Amino acid sequence: MATEFVIPARHKGFNRAEIVDANFAEYVQQWQGDVRQVPHDDAPILPGSRLTARGFLELFESQLISRHLDLMARVLRVKDKVFYTIGSSGHEGNAMVARLTRHTDPAFLHYRSGGFMAERFRKLPGMDPVMDSALSFAASSDDPASGGRHKVWGSKPLWVLPQTSTIASHLPKALGTAVAIEQARRIGHALPIPDDSIAICSFGDASSNHATAQTAFNTAAWTAYQKLPAPVLFVCEDNGIGISVKTPGGWVESNFRHRANLDYFQADGLDLAAGYAEVERAVEHCRRTRRPTFLHLATTRVMGHAGTDFEIEWRSVEELYALEATDPLLRSAAIALESGLFDRAGLLEFYEAIRKRCFGAAEEADRRPKIGSLAQVMAPLAPYSPDAVRAEARRAADPARREAAFGGAAKLPEAQPPRHLAIQINQALHELMAKYPESLLFGEDVAQKGGVYTVTRGLHKAFRNTRVFNTLLDETMILGLAQGYANMGMLPIPEIQYLAYFHNACDQIRGEAASLQFFSNDQFRNPILMRVASLGYQKGFGGHFHNDNSIAALRDIPGLVVGCPSRGDDAVAMLRTLAALARVDGRVCAYLEPIALYMTKDLYQPGDGGWQFAYPPEGRALELGEGRVYDSAHDDLVIFTFGNGVPMSLRAARGIEAAHGWKTRVVDLRWLAPLSNAFIAAQAASARRIIVVDEGRRSAGVGEGVITAIVEAGFGATPLRRVVGADTFTPLAGAALLVLPGEADIVAAAGELA
């Protein structure tokens, strides 16, 4: 006869937090097991366990802190004292990972890491996991992790780099950090952490399926296959569900246990005494072998995904009741009672004392100041120290290193005749890598081949494979590596082969790299100088992927610096400034190199050499936002443009003068984000007519920002036209020129203004 299932009375209201809380007290009160007295702190907590009594007690306290922070958040959210309710309940076993690793092992954590954080706080004296966490929950500006900008698990002294609610997007940079730890030794770079550190990265079972996670696992295995060290500990906290979508039983184990070059360990995260040894084995293996390691940690989720997740709408009461029985805190309570560390009354007193501590901290955090101004919100987003950046950009490289990089004094770039864009970018990269011994240049085909357009030719020979190297064909991982190197104090110069390929990996810049300073209140920085072969007008080799003029995705990223040179000497000066911005202010920079201008030598007539320039001497750099003006005294017509539009506009100016007698000033913006509104306004002030030439698309192009700056400066009445690309993908062959602006279009726009 089947046993009748009876719903406990406490389930009638379906307040999951209250139910889980009441379960603990009821379990302790009704416990009837045998007591085995533990003789001393260093004895095993249970026979055969690797976990000592002292270790268990501290882990148990960390579990309870995590749980009561969750319960506090559910209660105080309805009073608008807390602003985040995604909890760690059921995942508290991740505290074992924190205990068995060091506070100098960089940690990239997902949002169910309360237990890990509470335990890692023990690693340094004087730190308070409860108050620090409460300040983050309350979005107080006193929050030491993010300054109140988001509820994040983060700590500068504990080497926990803040993540927001990521879905696996932190895995590439965690792997990148692991690779960087080992790369530092090969280039003689002093790490900010011990040389035998490992990188820790936690995520859920559902997130393990995400494409971004898969690219990290693949690259980890690809690295290990080549016997290159990559000491990353991937911690998959498997609770069997992603919000409301269940993970098929056994899927994670089936998917990862037998993967080549990704070493698999499995541990019980629901039972501290049983799971500790296997977690210890995984950590020790990763640190000793320097191989990527996958720790499959069994967890559960005893409350909804967040406070607004009413599980009863999609889960049966029977299922919820069964889940409650798997609560790891019940197992820890049983161990505490069985071992004699507590009696029932003492354990409940301990439980309530931690509740009181968490709620008291939350009430105190609610009284602390909040962010009160837009300036305060944005303060860490895009730091800029113009004097320091200027000094760094102008600082010369070590003369001996620089001469060696170019192969002798006779080959120094200033000793060469005027050259075109590709050559001068190449020369500038040689100079930067000589100036910054901690710099690394990497991407697809950049090493022996020298890049698709030979822009990186000779760099591999000059700086060897330790500093110039090819990556696998995966833009997401290229940018993940860049973040890892930057985290370890290096200066990464990743190349994205074409602008269209950047869009595959955009979130590594948007959601991760460019947000780190913001969400860490400028405590963590990851300076990156990303080079991207870009824009249209490429002849004989084209189509959408090789003539991409979509810049909006870059300009929309808060804090990102975007530069675009049109000529070689500017390219050198801008690279010096971008490297200085990265090194001094930790900025993430994108450098768009116009493909069609790489080899351009002439301006007006074949053979005139008008688009070749002398290499700028050391000490010549550009201010952020500083543009170039051609024929500054001319004001009949002012053309604002950038990139390919600059030589095109200079040629069109001759036709306009012939047709209308106008003297034309051409303004090269050079910096596309942030746009210098003051510079644009100054150039528009004396203009009788204005044309904005934007080789990007009509919608969300650079030109929209230029026109806005002109209008907001009070010059909206000046006659104005925009010459811009069409809102379409770029077709193949000559049809490409139908969708991009040309000289004739600029001349025609001037005719309309006439």
Side-chain angles (χ1 to χ4, degrees), residues 168-237:
S169 58
H170 57 305
L171 273 69
K173 65 181 178 183
L175 174 60
T177 301
V179 172
I181 291 170
E182 295 298 313
Q183 187 86 357
R185 183 185 301 113
R186 293 193 289 273
I187 70 169
H189 173 70
L191 284 169
I193 55 177
D195 290 351
D196 65 344
S197 298
I198 65 174
I200 305 159
C201 182
S202 63
F203 50 93
D205 49 292
S207 294
S208 73
N209 299 303
H210 197 279
T212 314
Q214 292 296 322
T215 196
F217 301 141
N218 179 70
T219 305
W222 182 84
T223 304
Y225 179 78
Q226 299 178 87
K227 295 182 170 49
L228 297 172
V232 60
L233 181 67
F234 291 120
V235 184
C236 180
E237 299 181 17

Side-chain angles (χ1 to χ4, degrees), residues 252-473:
V252 173
E253 181 177 0
S254 173
N255 197 12
F256 289 96
R257 179 178 283 279
H258 302 294
R259 283 201 183 190
N261 297 299
L262 187 59
D263 301 340
Y264 178 89
F265 292 79
Q266 194 169 37
D268 188 352
L270 303 174
D271 186 327
L272 298 179
Y276 192 81
E278 198 65 10
V279 174
E280 184 179 43
R281 200 164 75 89
V283 172
E284 187 277 333
H285 172 85
C286 184
R287 196 177 304 281
R288 175 176 52 82
T289 66
R290 320 305 287 165
R291 283 175 58 84
T293 304
F294 189 96
L295 174 59
H296 184 192
L297 193 67
T299 62
T300 189
R301 199 182 79 196
V302 295
M303 291 193 285
H305 173 71
T308 55
D309 179 18
F310 299 104
E311 292 173 286
I312 195 61
E313 295 177 353
W314 52 273
R315 265 182 167 172
S316 69
V317 175
E318 292 84 356
E319 185 180 358
L320 292 174
Y321 191 45
L323 279 172
E324 290 170 16
T326 66
D327 187 343
L329 264 62
L330 303 185
R331 175 58 183 149
S332 292
I335 295 171
L337 293 166
E338 180 183 342
S339 65
L341 287 174
F342 291 97
D343 59 20
R344 286 177 294 181
L347 180 50
L348 289 175
E349 184 180 346
F350 185 51
Y351 184 80
E352 291 302 324
I354 293 177
R355 182 202 305 276
K356 182 178 179 181
R357 182 181 170 193
C358 291
F359 272 81
E363 293 292 348
E364 169 62 24
D366 180 55
R367 293 188 288 270
R368 295 286 190 92
K370 305 290 194 295
I371 293 176
S373 69
L374 177 60
Q376 193 177 1
V377 169
M378 296 183 66
L381 176 64
Y384 180 39
S385 312
D387 291 342
V389 169
R390 185 182 307 113
E392 176 63 20
R394 293 176 178 177
R395 179 175 66 85
D398 177 80
R401 276 202 196 123
R402 188 169 183 266
E403 187 172 315
F406 286 102
K411 295 183 179 180
L412 289 172
E414 55 268 29
Q416 307 304 312
R419 306 305 292 267
H420 52 279
L421 179 67
I423 292 292
Q424 293 203 325
I425 291 176
N426 176 276
Q427 292 169 331
L429 292 172
H430 276 82
E431 178 184 291
L432 287 181
M433 295 198 71
K435 181 176 180 178
Y436 298 104
E438 72 276 19
S439 61
L440 305 166
L441 189 145
F442 52 95
E444 300 161 17
D445 301 305
V446 300
Q448 293 87 343
K449 179 179 174 62
V452 173
Y453 298 98
T454 69
V455 176
T456 58
R457 176 181 288 176
L459 285 163
H460 181 261
K461 181 179 179 181
F463 298 101
R464 306 303 178 190
N465 207 48
T466 52
R467 293 185 59 199
V468 179
F469 50 91
N470 295 322
T471 65
L472 73 176
L473 198 156

Side-chain angles (χ1 to χ4, degrees), residues 705-752:
V706 175
I707 292 171
T708 299
I710 292 168
V711 172
E712 290 183 346
F715 305 117
T718 305
L720 184 149
R721 290 292 184 275
R722 181 163 58 128
V723 178
V724 66
D727 284 337
T728 179
F729 299 104
T730 306
L732 194 61
L737 299 179
L738 299 175
V739 306
L740 296 170
E743 293 173 36
D745 299 309
I746 301 171
V747 175
E752 294 174 11

Side-chain angles (χ1 to χ4, degrees), residues 143 145-150 152 162 164 371 373-383 510-526 558-559 586 588:
D143 164 29
S146 75
R149 288 167 186 81
H150 202 285
V152 294
T164 57
I371 293 176
S373 69
L374 177 60
Q376 193 177 1
V377 169
M378 296 183 66
L381 176 64
R510 177 187 301 280
E512 298 297 332
S515 71
L516 181 61
Q517 283 178 275
F518 182 78
F519 286 120
S520 71
N521 201 16
D522 200 22
Q523 296 176 87
F524 287 102
R525 293 178 166 188
N526 51 6
V588 181

